[in-house]
Amino acid sequence: MHRRSFLFASAASAAMTLSPPPAVAAPSELLAPWRGAYGGTPPFDKVKVADFAPAMQAAMAEEMAEVRAIAANPAPPTFDNTFAALERSGRALNRAGTIYAIWCANFSTPELQPVQVELEPRLAAHESAILQDAKLFARVEAAYQASRNDPKLTAEQKRVAWRRWNAFVRAGAKLDPQARSRVAQINAELATLFTTFNQNLLAEEGGQVHYLKPDQLGGLPADLRAAAAAAADERGHPGEFAILNTRSSVDPFLTYSDQRALREAVWRTFYNRGDNGDAHDNNAVIKQILKLRAERAKLLGYPTHAHWRLEDAMAKTPQAAMDLMLRVWPSAIARVREEVAEMQSIADAEKAQITISPWDYRFYAEKVRERRYALDMNAVKPYLQLEKLREAMFWASGELYGFTYSPAPGVPVPHPDVRVWQVKDAAGRHRGLWYFDPYARTGKRSGAWMNAYRAQETFDGAVTTIVSNNANFQKGAPGEPVLVSWDDAKTLFHEFGHALHGLNSAVAYPTVSGTRVSRDYVEFPSQLNEHWLPTPQILGRFALHHKTGEPIPAELVAKIEKAKTFRQGFDVTEYLASALIDMKLHLAGDADIDPDAFEKAELVALNMPAELPMRHRTPQFQHIFSSDGYAAGYYSYLWSEVLDHDAWEAFIDAGDPFDKATAARLRDTVLSRGDTSDPADQYRAFRGRDPDVKAYLREKGFPVV
């Protein structure tokens, strides 16, 4: 059973037999094969929160019956009757679980939250009951050993066999019954703790809003004022302006507000999420999560959770990840010192009588940008319309991969703001659907992300993918275009890169399809896709002024290019501090950790600049405490960024960022291959060699030696 994207935990239960849960009546809409055009689509128009628990319970019972039949098959174990059979199992649970996960991320209302508390440990228990079943694993072990030297199997089939076998082993299938039971109990407890962490953070983000009066808006550009007014109206505060406790609202405020006391208040509210000593404080939850992860790792035979997590990643070992991070760290904090000195000189010249603090960094950095590069990002934003950027992403993927996009009317959507496009390839064949959900709403998790609603596969007939991109932009006034910052434009291209990874997939088996690759490789295609945003071909066609329709001036584009290494000290340091703390937390093993004290002490040891925070402080670090997904894996963004900058230089060397031969090689060796081979081998097939960190250092403007 492959790890499902909708699960927030890896698995758990004390009951390690394949006995099915009791039969329950369930709504067929959530369980039935998806119907309609495009190979079927999720029945979002028929979803009721009350249906989730019975539907998921029935789907788990169905999968349990399927895997019991596989385990009991009297025929000798083979790839087809074991691994291919497992690929076919659990389809109803995948369908229902996909819709459930969409609601958890986008519509986490008070009605849904108790359902999550009920379902998460049950889902974890269900997966453990499969992955730790001795009879089923005996069959998997035999089929895997037979597959290793079977000349009739393809390389992809052997990879699927290994992935399936490895999932059982890493879940504790080889342990004695007592240890297996304890691992399962740990996973059940983690599933509940992950849900608690998420709900605490959601409460802090949704319940803490700064409402401003008109005389408190100094420095804010018109589009931010309009978005803040709309957010206040939506929350029953007409005539006021709401600064929400989310990154998409806070970062622009910290960048442009000239009200220093307000900047500090907004900053403290945002960076204290989950750390206020109240009912939503996450410190105790984190402490429990870390202890349970450490115990599980030891039971599974690993020194720490970090060693367990990285064993099947591209990095392989925590030391390899730490070596890369610590190679970059000194250059990053040295650049921060340079940036702070320049900002302080401006503040002193203005007689501000301040010492640069974290709530000042973005504000004074913009002053530096204007002074050094004569570049005011407020002058860029009128050219960055959300809809034009969407068109730009479509156009670029057409030039690179031959994709075309057309609206898909009549497809059910989970919210009126969500729109759907059909994607075709250069030969006019249907490749998949792309859903776009760009706007913030109450109950929606913060940030931006990509989902795969359905994986591409061909082994039992062609099945096309369904992917989505999700963001949290604030709507402006009715009829007004949504303008986004340069950083948010890069994020759009980043998440669309994940979608392109899925849309380009051309594999046989869903376990190795699309973005189902190692965590430190999955960010490579997405980060690479960011490079096409600043190209003249994109900006000249799609960066059009929202009022005049005129393209962005060439001299402004030149300034953006000249300033590309601007504020890299801040950007790299705030990210890398989070990645280092993540790894250090999980290398600490079973030490009795106080999260706040640990964070503070380790940052001091790293010589963390006092003028900026970690991008994700520990009590709000959703990547690593809302699931096991990025735990001891936040380094993955840096690892993948080394790949993406090195890969981008292949396009530069070709003389054209849209060079079709280079794009075809990228598609054929990386984007279409999913996890059908080792990612290091894929990268070598594309680049002709291993990645070189020097391209990353050059891009950041750091010393290359």
Side-chain angles (χ1 to χ4, degrees):
M1 187 170 82
H2 61 74
R3 184 186 299 126
R4 294 189 177 86
S5 60
F6 66 83
L7 289 178
F8 296 118
S10 58
S13 171
M16 287 299 107
T17 61
L18 286 182
S19 56
V24 292
S28 61
E29 294 86 356
L30 294 180
L31 300 178
W34 294 342
R35 297 180 290 272
Y38 314 112
T41 57
F44 290 132
D45 54 337
K46 296 180 172 61
V47 174
K48 298 176 183 176
V49 170
D51 292 342
F52 281 132
M56 297 291 277
Q57 190 79 341
M60 285 187 278
E62 179 177 315
E63 181 176 43
M64 194 64 73
E66 292 167 345
V67 297
R68 288 179 72 203
I70 296 169
N73 189 340
T78 65
F79 180 90
D80 286 336
N81 67 22
T82 304
F83 297 121
L86 286 169
E87 294 287 288
R88 296 184 182 98
S89 68
R91 297 302 177 110
L93 184 55
N94 272 318
R95 290 189 293 268
T98 292
I99 297 172
Y100 164 70
I102 292 166
W103 253 249
C104 289
N106 295 278
F107 312 102
S108 188
T109 61
E111 180 188 11
L112 178 62
Q113 289 174 8
V115 177
Q116 291 176 267
V117 172
E118 173 190 357
L119 277 178
E120 291 307 317
R122 290 189 181 185
L123 285 164
H126 170 74
E127 189 167 357
S128 275
I130 295 172
L131 288 175
Q132 294 189 358
D133 179 77
K135 185 176 181 180
L136 180 60
F137 178 65
R139 185 174 192 88
V140 166
E141 173 77 19
Y144 168 65
Q145 295 302 337
S147 75
R148 297 176 69 183
N149 298 307
D150 188 341
K152 298 187 295 296
L153 296 181
T154 66
E156 178 178 340
Q157 287 172 320
K158 291 181 179 181
R159 183 76 173 178
V160 169
W162 174 78
R163 280 281 300 269
R164 288 279 184 177
W165 171 84
N166 194 46
F168 280 82
V169 173
R170 287 172 58 78
K174 288 189 172 185
L175 300 180
D176 63 64
Q178 183 177 356
R180 285 203 308 269
S181 177
R182 179 55 188 153
V183 168
Q185 291 171 345
I186 288 170
N187 287 334
E189 293 175 45
L190 285 172
T192 298
L193 291 167
F194 294 153
T195 302
T196 301
F197 181 95
N198 274 321
Q199 292 185 355
N200 282 343
L201 190 56
L202 189 65
E204 298 271 271
E205 291 177 346
Q208 298 176 346
V209 180
H210 287 269
Y211 292 102
L212 308 184
K213 303 298 184 183
D215 62 354
Q216 296 177 301
L217 304 179
L220 298 187
D223 65 294
L224 290 182
R225 296 182 183 213
D233 285 344
E234 181 184 342
R235 288 158 179 77
H237 287 255
E240 294 184 296
F241 301 81
I243 305 303
L244 308 182
N245 201 25
T246 63
R247 190 173 300 279
S248 59
S249 186
V250 167
D251 281 0
F253 183 82
L254 295 177
T255 301
Y256 296 112
S257 172
D258 61 14
Q259 308 288 301
R260 188 172 191 250
L262 280 176
R263 289 203 309 270
E264 180 179 358
V266 168
W267 185 92
R268 289 191 181 280
T269 301
F270 184 67
Y271 284 99
N272 283 335
R273 289 169 298 150
D275 196 24
N276 292 303
D278 56 14
H280 302 302
D281 191 283
N282 269 328
N283 284 287
V285 176
I286 291 167
K287 191 170 184 176
Q288 290 177 272
I289 289 172
L290 291 170
K291 279 188 170 296
L292 289 170
R293 282 176 174 159
E295 182 185 355
R296 180 179 61 187
K298 285 193 172 182
L299 287 167
L300 291 170
Y302 298 87
T304 70
H305 174 84
H307 290 83
W308 176 77
R309 168 55 63 199
L310 271 74
E311 181 192 47
D312 64 349
M314 192 173 176
K316 304 301 182 190
T317 67
Q319 190 60 52
M322 287 294 290
D323 286 347
L324 176 61
M325 289 190 284
L326 292 175
R327 177 173 182 186
V328 175
W329 180 253
S331 295
I333 61 174
R335 182 58 53 83
V336 167
R337 287 193 288 270
E338 295 171 4
E339 292 173 359
V340 169
E342 192 166 3
M343 291 188 291
Q344 189 66 56
S345 69
I346 291 177
D348 293 345
E350 294 177 346
K351 302 188 185 309
Q353 296 183 320
I354 66 166
T355 298
I356 296 296
S357 297
W359 44 90
D360 301 315
Y361 208 119
R362 292 177 184 274
F363 180 74
Y364 279 95
E366 286 307 301
K367 291 177 178 285
V368 171
R369 192 193 320 249
E370 291 181 42
R371 185 172 77 171
R372 186 189 295 180
Y373 302 106
L375 175 60
D376 178 3
M377 294 309 285
N378 270 325
V380 177
K381 196 169 184 179
Y383 296 94
L384 300 178
Q385 302 176 58
L386 178 61
E387 285 302 298
K388 289 296 180 184
L389 289 167
R390 175 189 56 75
E391 293 173 13
M393 297 188 303
F394 285 0
W395 180 85
S397 71
E399 291 295 300
L400 292 165
Y401 313 118
F403 288 158
T404 59
Y405 301 78
S406 58
V411 173
V413 293
H415 189 276
D417 286 342
V418 180
R419 291 171 290 161
V420 189
W421 280 262
Q422 181 188 19
V423 186
K424 293 183 178 180
D425 63 18
R429 294 170 299 211
H430 175 70
R431 295 290 302 190
L433 294 176
W434 182 71
Y435 288 59
F436 191 36
D437 182 11
Y439 301 121
R441 71 178 70 90
T442 301
K444 187 177 185 181
R445 57 173 275 202
S446 61
W449 64 96
M450 172 267 189
N451 283 133
Y453 296 169
R454 181 172 66 205
Q456 174 271 332
E457 61 181 88
T458 62
F459 85 112
D460 272 342
V463 175
T464 55
T465 192
I466 300 176
V467 297
S468 76
N469 282 148
N470 312 269
N472 273 278
F473 297 110
Q474 290 295 323
K475 283 185 175 180
E480 291 293 320
V482 175
L483 304 180
V484 307
S485 69
W486 183 256
D487 286 346
D488 284 337
K490 288 174 63 178
T491 299
L492 274 173
F493 271 70
H494 175 103
E495 297 303 335
F496 193 63
H498 284 306
L500 292 173
H501 197 177
L503 288 164
N504 272 295
S505 181
V507 306
Y509 297 92
T511 284
V512 293
S513 179
T515 56
R516 292 176 175 176
V517 299
S518 63
R519 191 68 72 176
D520 54 7
Y521 192 61
V522 75
E523 299 297 339
F524 161 41
S526 57
Q527 292 179 174
L528 179 60
N529 202 58
E530 296 177 29
H531 289 275
W532 278 280
L533 169 64
T535 60
Q537 294 92 329
I538 290 291
L539 295 180
R541 284 177 174 83
F542 300 100
L544 306 179
H545 196 281
H546 70 105
K547 290 183 178 178
T548 67
E550 292 294 316
I552 188 169
E555 58 268 25
L556 192 50
V557 174
K559 290 178 181 179
I560 294 172
E561 172 63 21
K562 186 178 179 182
K564 69 180 182 179
T565 60
F566 168 75
R567 211 188 68 178
Q568 287 302 309
F570 176 92
D571 292 348
V572 175
T573 299
E574 68 152 7
Y575 154 73
L576 205 49
S578 294
L580 285 163
I581 293 299
D582 165 39
M583 191 63 75
K584 286 173 174 286
L585 282 166
H586 290 101
L587 284 172
D590 55 6
D592 187 24
I593 287 175
D594 175 288
D596 275 344
F598 185 92
E599 175 187 304
K600 183 177 180 180
E602 290 297 331
L603 290 178
V604 168
L606 286 166
N607 199 23
M608 175 73 173
E611 295 85 0
L612 74 165
M614 300 162 58
R615 182 167 180 82
H616 306 287
R617 286 200 56 239
T618 308
Q620 61 221 216
F621 207 162
Q622 200 166 19
H623 284 77
I624 67 172
F625 294 119
S626 67
S627 73
D628 276 334
Y630 276 92
Y634 197 62
Y635 78 92
S636 299
Y637 290 93
L638 174 61
W639 191 274
S640 293
E641 200 170 357
V642 168
L643 302 182
D644 89 66
H645 286 295
D646 188 59
W648 178 245
E649 290 196 350
F651 285 90
I652 301 305
D653 293 344
D656 180 1
F658 292 90
D659 180 68
K660 294 191 183 304
T662 308
R665 191 168 74 252
L666 177 69
R667 178 194 62 219
D668 295 342
T669 59
V670 175
L671 298 180
S672 66
R673 301 320 306 148
D675 194 46
T676 56
S677 60
D678 188 284
D681 292 335
Q682 291 185 14
Y683 191 84
R684 291 186 199 104
F686 169 67
R687 199 69 171 98
R689 55 167 173 76
D690 287 329
D692 189 338
V693 71
K694 292 177 183 176
Y696 170 87
L697 297 171
R698 281 193 291 270
E699 184 70 16
K700 300 299 179 184
F702 293 168
V704 172
V705 176

